[in-house]
Amino acid sequence: MLWLGWGDPARARELPDQVRALLHDLLGVRPPAAPPVSLAEVRLPPPAPVPVSLAEIVGSAHVLTDHESRVRHTRGKSTPDLMRIRSGDGSDAPDAVVLPGTHDEVVALLSACASARVAVVPFGGGTSVVGGLSPDKSGYAAVIALDLSRMSRLVSLDAESRLATFEPGVTGPEAERLLAAHGLTLGHFPQSFEYATLGGFAAARSSGQASAGYGRFDDMVAGLTLATPRGTLTLGRAPKSAAGPDLRQLVLGSEGAFGVITSLVLRVRRAPAERVYEGWRFPSFAAGSAALRTLAQDGPLPTVLRLSDETETMIGLARPDAIGGASDNGCLVIAGYEGASVADRRRLAAEVLTGCGGTPLGEEPGTSWEHGRFSAPYLRDSLLSVGATVETLETAAFWSTLPALYDAVRRSLTGSLGNPLIMCHISHVYETGASLYFTVVTSHGLDTWETAKQAVNTAIIEAGGTITHHHGIGRDHRAPYATELGPLGAEVLRAIKTTLDPTTIMNPGTLIP
Ligand SMILES: Cc1cc2nc3c(=O)[nH]c(=O)nc-3n(C[C@H](O)[C@H](O)[C@H](O)COP(=O)(O)OP(=O)(O)OC[C@H]3O[C@@H](n4cnc5c(N)ncnc54)[C@H](O)[C@@H]3O)c2cc1C
């Protein structure tokens, strides 16, 4: 993973000329004032010493304090995170990176850190886009990043129940590789799939591109273990239970603020024998949304279902590998079918889509989407390099609220940023509603973007949306989350934090209002 951008440097790509021209002519984007600093030039605070007991627990080889390790564990991968690190600002760096190998080591580390008032930031793939890895350091003797990459095993497989128990540091591709050996799949493919971890998916309530077919990540979690500064919570012993409130739901989405997820029991599926992705065109976003709602409510539901609005369709963002080449009118839908009865489901869905005003475009747009499905983050790096600010934001609402929410977000962004390029898609649908995922490109710099982001957060809450459908809260969404929860809800959350983490060492500044 690049320390100042996304992914494999070999996959970095130049922007097509049409896109450069569009950025300049439409948005007034100018080249950045200075190129990114080198890794050695990133300015880090002098490291505070961490207790020697940490090295006694994990072995001294697994406590890292070198410059590169600290830089690589500084913040996550939001656009503000990338802009700060590119400018050489490493002020949020941890003092040390500690790599435990077992659940018992994590429990011992948390106990030692609680005694020494050392803050602990669980670190999975480091792909947070909401400030989930930027702790509030004030009042702590030191801050450690607890890197879970050594805990990366498939622990056991219960083939009869279709359950797999994993350690938290397993990445998306590794989970699929381990399951493929048994003819199984998890089916969780967020755009951060290549680097994010199972523990991070659970801690941030992730949702993948095939959520219509396989469900959100939190739907997949049958059980889990949480190491806390107070000891261990082990949850989930049946597919469903009426034994009081489901405490698993307290851990899912807890973003490292209550403890460290050290194992996950996940529902897995038979690997699909067949996969087909296809494109459809709708005359408008409203017509496309109505079609998606019909499929979500009355079926049949494809495995992948995604609708780009007019601007996203025009730019071609649904197919990043072909960007700049698309200029179709209307709105593009990608529908994908995986698993059993593909032909039948496809035929029935086609009847619904045609009945809702859709025009079939065949498999080419679907295949193109599939090839580019993990490419958009590379495009962001290219845009940052030519001086554009590009960031994403997301929300969800009930179907009846969705059109007003869409308008409110666009109005807020236009009010703050003048003439940004705003693209949107729906990629997670439910019987009762859907998510909206916006990509914004502007020539304005970081300060203006951050002001615009605060305004749009308020607009989302006022328009009846949730502050996040799948990115999580982190530090960036704490204030609007407090409004969404209400004062009593915030108090409940704080009470849980006090019980599990009485010395507040777990990811301070994150999640809890
Ligand atoms: C380019 C890009 C595309 C993305 N696309 C998607 C997408 O399609 N869908 C989606 O849902 N998200 C997406 N994200 C957001 C991000 O990938 C998810 O939030 C993911 O779940 C984070 O996993 P991670 O392993 O990288 O966690 P990290 O970023 O390392 O951590 C995320 C949060 O969880 C905590 N945490 C991590 N591991 C544990 C653990 N074992 N126990 C307790 N707390 C832990 C951290 O402290 C932090 O607060 C995207 C991000 C990027 C940069």
Side-chain angles (χ1 to χ4, degrees):
M1 170 73 98
L2 272 174
W3 63 273
L4 79 177
W6 181 254
D8 175 1
R11 287 179 57 194
R13 41 198 298 253
E14 283 281 302
L15 284 180
D17 287 343
Q18 305 96 302
V19 179
R20 280 172 182 267
L22 189 78
L23 291 170
H24 181 267
D25 299 346
L26 196 71
L27 303 178
V29 170
R30 308 226 173 289
V37 300
S38 69
L39 192 139
E41 289 167 330
V42 176
R43 301 176 300 280
L44 300 182
V50 296
V52 288
S53 56
L54 305 191
E56 287 163 9
I57 294 165
V58 295
S60 53
H62 300 126
V63 178
L64 310 175
T65 53
D66 62 284
H67 181 86
E68 179 167 349
S69 299
R70 291 180 68 207
V71 171
R72 286 187 175 279
H73 292 80
T74 302
R75 310 188 189 98
K77 294 290 180 188
S78 69
T79 293
D81 290 343
L82 297 186
M83 291 171 105
R84 289 207 167 88
I85 205 81
R86 282 168 173 245
S87 75
D89 174 0
S91 54
D92 289 323
D95 296 296
V97 179
V98 180
L99 296 100
T102 64
H103 168 82
D104 289 348
E105 286 183 6
V106 175
V107 172
L109 285 171
L110 298 189
S111 170
C113 287
S115 305
R117 193 134 185 81
V118 171
V120 178
V121 182
F123 194 101
T127 67
S128 169
V129 281
V130 290
L133 300 163
S134 310
D136 179 355
K137 296 175 161 190
S138 48
Y140 292 92
V143 176
I144 63 164
L146 197 81
D147 183 316
L148 294 154
S149 57
R150 285 180 65 219
M151 297 179 67
S152 57
R153 288 181 313 136
L154 169 60
V155 179
S156 63
L157 189 65
D158 173 354
E160 192 175 356
S161 313
R162 293 246 172 103
L163 290 171
T165 302
F166 284 101
E167 289 183 321
V170 179
T171 61
E174 187 58 5
E176 288 299 333
R177 193 187 66 76
L178 291 165
L179 290 172
H182 303 275
L184 298 168
T185 182
L186 193 56
H188 187 65
F189 302 104
Q191 208 165 57
S192 54
F193 169 74
E194 291 162 290
Y195 295 92
T197 62
L198 302 181
F201 294 149
R205 280 188 189 260
S206 170
S207 193
Q209 293 164 348
S211 64
Y214 295 99
R216 290 165 57 92
F217 194 80
D218 45 20
D219 297 331
M220 302 174 186
V221 179
L224 53 83
T225 306
L226 184 76
T228 81
R230 292 280 311 282
T232 299
L233 263 183
T234 305
L235 300 166
R237 57 167 60 200
K240 292 286 174 195
S241 164
D246 186 350
L247 295 191
R248 285 175 305 185
Q249 298 300 329
L250 282 182
V251 177
L252 297 168
S254 62
E255 300 186 18
F258 296 158
V260 182
I261 297 165
T262 54
S263 84
L264 285 158
V265 184
L266 300 178
R267 173 256 278 163
V268 293
R269 297 253 168 90
R270 195 194 298 277
E274 199 183 347
R275 289 189 174 89
V276 179
Y277 307 106
E278 63 184 11
W280 287 76
R281 182 182 304 133
F282 280 82
S284 66
F285 194 52
S289 301
L292 264 54
R293 177 166 56 82
T294 306
L295 287 174
Q297 291 178 337
D298 300 329
L301 196 56
T303 315
V304 172
L305 191 56
R306 172 190 165 116
L307 164 70
S308 296
D309 73 355
E310 289 84 351
T311 313
E312 188 173 286
T313 301
M314 184 185 70
I315 301 288
L317 196 66
R319 307 187 291 162
D321 285 353
I323 201 157
S327 60
D328 297 334
N329 295 323
C331 293
L332 178 68
V333 164
I334 300 292
Y337 306 87
E338 299 183 8
S341 317
V342 161
D344 287 346
R345 285 160 60 212
R346 190 178 172 197
R347 181 178 48 74
L348 291 171
E351 284 173 18
V352 175
L353 291 168
T354 308
C356 291
T359 309
L361 302 175
E363 290 182 28
E364 190 281 325
T367 311
S368 172
W369 169 82
E370 188 194 4
H371 284 157
R373 66 193 289 187
F374 302 122
S375 299
Y378 292 96
L379 195 59
R380 175 177 63 165
D381 285 359
S382 310
L383 287 163
L384 287 175
S385 296
V386 300
T389 298
V390 54
E391 183 57 307
T392 60
L393 59 100
E394 39 84 54
T395 175
F398 299 122
W399 288 112
S400 54
T401 308
L402 220 54
L405 178 60
Y406 175 81
D407 290 342
V409 170
R410 289 182 55 87
R411 219 173 20 251
S412 172
L413 290 168
T414 306
S416 300
L417 298 169
N419 66 342
L421 186 63
I422 307 171
M423 297 165 272
C424 181
H425 65 252
I426 294 175
S427 51
H428 306 279
V429 296
Y430 307 93
E431 283 179 71
T432 53
S435 66
L436 292 175
Y437 186 96
F438 293 87
T439 303
V440 189
V441 188
T442 172
S443 58
H444 287 288
L446 186 53
D447 290 347
T448 310
W449 166 255
E450 292 198 318
T451 307
K453 178 70 165 83
Q454 281 182 20
V456 77
N457 285 347
T458 305
I460 285 171
I461 297 293
E462 285 178 0
T466 174
I467 195 57
T468 173
H469 171 265
H470 57 262
H471 281 168
I473 300 296
R475 281 173 74 105
D476 300 355
H477 291 152
R478 251 179 8 151
Y481 181 44
T483 311
E484 189 171 330
L485 270 182
L488 189 56
E491 202 178 317
V492 170
L493 211 57
R494 283 195 289 268
I496 296 161
K497 169 87 173 167
T498 305
T499 301
L500 296 176
D501 178 26
T503 51
T504 63
I505 57 160
M506 294 309 309
N507 214 354
T510 297
L511 184 72
I512 311 296

